[in-house]
Amino acid sequence: MKSLKQPLLAEHPTFDPSKVWVLMWSQQQGMLHIETLAEMLSDHLGAFRMDLATEYVPLVIGDEFVVEQAAEAIRHTMTKRHDEKHNGEVGHLPYDQLP
């Protein structure tokens, strides 16, 4: 078996992971993140190489429109969780005001 230098799907002749999007969620940070499948696989391969834990959990994989719609559909839940968790903390910013 050759050394794993890039994500497994990167060399597939008909599948382009740079054109597929992933909606990910971090429970620890209470945040959503969207990036391409190629970026996610590259990040996860780097984490594997360095024996590091990964923070984000993939929730939805699809085209950019589908992933954006999924993020919008759960944004209310993310807002509620964040604001309830941090309510009363000094310097707390509501979820919808985070950068």
Side-chain angles (χ1 to χ4, degrees):
M1 180 179 201
K2 68 179 185 175
S3 174
L4 192 59
K5 296 182 180 176
Q6 60 186 3
L8 295 175
L9 295 173
E11 293 183 37
H12 191 279
T14 60
F15 183 75
D16 186 352
S18 69
K19 295 180 180 178
V20 177
W21 294 85
V22 182
L23 170 62
M24 295 181 292
W25 164 69
S26 165
Q27 187 213 16
Q28 182 179 356
Q29 295 178 18
M31 302 293 289
L32 297 174
H33 178 70
I34 296 174
E35 65 185 20
T36 66
L37 181 60
E39 292 168 320
M40 184 194 80
L41 291 172
S42 180
D43 290 346
H44 286 194
L45 184 56
F48 170 76
R49 281 193 197 115
M50 298 178 70
D51 197 21
L52 299 172
T54 58
E55 173 63 28
Y56 282 89
V57 175
L59 299 178
V60 177
I61 297 174
D63 66 30
E64 192 171 8
F65 178 78
V66 167
V67 169
E68 290 285 347
Q69 291 295 309
E72 193 57 39
I74 64 174
R75 201 163 311 278
H76 174 75
T77 300
M78 297 300 300
T79 299
K80 182 179 176 193
R81 286 179 182 175
H82 172 83
D83 293 345
E84 286 175 356
K85 182 177 181 181
H86 298 287
N87 189 24
E89 291 180 3
V90 175
H92 162 69
L93 285 177
Y95 187 86
D96 59 359
Q97 292 180 14
L98 294 174

